[in-house]
């Protein structure tokens, strides 16, 4: 086999392999829910990011609906504005009051719906991320399951509502987005925690923001010092030239 033939064969194999990986990735894509870090703290507030991939090769996603569990009621829910999409929050009166710490909850948010305003959409091969600020998170469960319904412009509807599988069991075809909840943190659930969540930050994010601001301040100070240095150098050069010119004139 010539070197040219071998090269062509290598390119063909690489192309086939990449196509197989891409196909596998699309087929296994799910609507998922994520928070900054590994888990959200029980009894606190957090920002949830729902990642919604388009799994249809011929239709676009135009609506995403998230169901919030009545058994673990969330009394504070806010959406982040998204260009090209409207959001709607639905609140219900609970059949039975639910205790959360020392508070008795009688109504809570039940549904969040994002609807695309044409020409906005999630086209084939694309994904979008939708953000929610929520709280207080339940303190009597380790997992918060929030089923989602994905609607396409072809009329197709996919319900991501299968509960998490038992440990070691096979993942269902359409698993519901689920969040792992960690042990409650000291001071979690207060006004500062709620404010941070509603502003899209957590302790980790705030720390990163502070480090970033410090780096920017130092960078700006460096630029100022550099500019002053250049100014002093230019002034010294100009004075030296004038001295030389004066000396030549004296001669």
């Amino acid at each position: 086999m010539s070197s040219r033939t071998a090269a062509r064969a290598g390119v063909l194999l690489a192309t086939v392999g990449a196509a197989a990986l891409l196909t596998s990735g699309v087929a296994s894509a799910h609507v998922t829910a994520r928070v900054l870090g590994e888990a959200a703290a029980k009894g606190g507030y957090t920002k949830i990011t729902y990642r919604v991939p388009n799994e249809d090769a011929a239709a676009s996603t135009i609506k995403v609906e998230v169901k919030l569990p009545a058994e673990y009621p969330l009394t504070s829910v806010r959406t982040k504005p998204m260009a090209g999409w409207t959001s709607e929050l639905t609140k219900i009166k609970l059949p039975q009051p639910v205790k959360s710490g020392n508070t008795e909850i009688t109504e809570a948010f039940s549904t969040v719906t994002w609807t695309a305003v044409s020409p906005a959409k999630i086209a084939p091969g694309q994904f979008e991320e939708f953000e929610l600020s929520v709280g207080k998170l339940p303190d009597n469960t380790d997992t918060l399951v929030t089923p989602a319904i994905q609607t396409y412009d072809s009329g197709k509807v996919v319900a991501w509502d299968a509960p998490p599988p038992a440990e070691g069991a096979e993942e269902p075809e359409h698993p519901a987005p689920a969040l792992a909840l960690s042990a409650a943190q000291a001071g979690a659930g207060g006004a500062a925690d709620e404010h941070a969540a509603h502003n899209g930050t957590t302790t980790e994010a705030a720390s990163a923001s502070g480090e970033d601001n410090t780096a920017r301040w130092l960078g700006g100070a460096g630029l100022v010092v550099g500019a002053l240095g250049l100014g002093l150098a230019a002034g010294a050069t100009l004075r030296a030239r004038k001295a030389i010119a004066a000396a030549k004139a004296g001669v």
Side-chain angles (χ1 to χ4, degrees):
M1 181 184 294
S2 67
S3 58
R4 180 176 295 180
T5 302
R8 287 178 178 174
V11 170
L12 178 61
L13 287 174
T15 302
V16 172
L21 286 175
L22 287 173
T23 302
S24 174
V26 171
S28 62
H30 299 319
V31 174
T32 57
R34 294 285 184 272
V35 296
L36 184 64
E38 294 183 359
K42 296 178 181 179
Y45 294 80
T46 192
K47 182 184 75 172
I48 305 175
T49 300
Y50 289 91
R51 175 169 290 190
V52 182
N54 192 316
E55 293 190 322
D56 196 302
S60 298
T61 298
I62 56 171
K63 187 167 75 170
V64 177
E65 185 178 353
V66 171
K67 302 288 188 180
L68 303 175
E71 63 270 31
Y72 305 117
L74 298 172
T75 57
S76 177
V77 178
R78 300 186 190 181
T79 59
K80 181 178 179 179
M82 289 183 60
W85 293 77
T86 63
S87 62
E88 181 181 0
L89 295 170
T90 303
K91 209 171 187 180
I92 61 169
K93 192 169 185 66
L94 300 176
Q96 296 291 334
V98 175
K99 276 279 191 179
S100 177
N102 296 324
T103 305
E104 186 176 80
I105 301 173
T106 58
E107 61 177 14
F109 289 93
S110 62
T111 308
V112 185
T113 304
W114 289 275
T115 305
V117 179
S118 182
K121 59 186 176 181
I122 309 176
Q126 297 181 348
F127 74 92
E128 187 57 89
E129 291 182 335
F130 302 85
E131 295 182 355
L132 279 184
S133 171
V134 304
K136 293 182 176 182
L137 295 173
D139 56 9
N140 55 347
T141 181
D142 294 326
T143 306
L144 185 69
V145 180
T146 57
I149 299 175
Q150 184 175 12
T151 302
Y152 291 84
D153 56 10
S154 63
K156 173 182 174 182
V157 176
V158 179
W160 300 91
D161 56 2
E167 186 175 351
E170 186 176 349
E171 184 181 64
E173 184 178 1
H174 296 106
L179 288 176
L181 302 181
S182 62
Q185 299 176 359
D193 192 13
E194 180 179 7
H195 177 76
H198 287 332
N199 283 278
T201 60
T202 62
T203 302
E204 295 178 30
S207 174
S209 176
E211 293 174 1
D212 184 56
N213 289 336
T214 301
R216 291 181 181 178
W217 184 88
L218 291 174
L223 289 174
V224 172
V225 172
L228 289 174
L230 288 174
L232 292 173
T237 301
L238 183 59
R239 288 194 296 272
R241 289 178 178 176
K242 288 182 178 179
I244 293 173
K248 287 182 179 181
V251 176

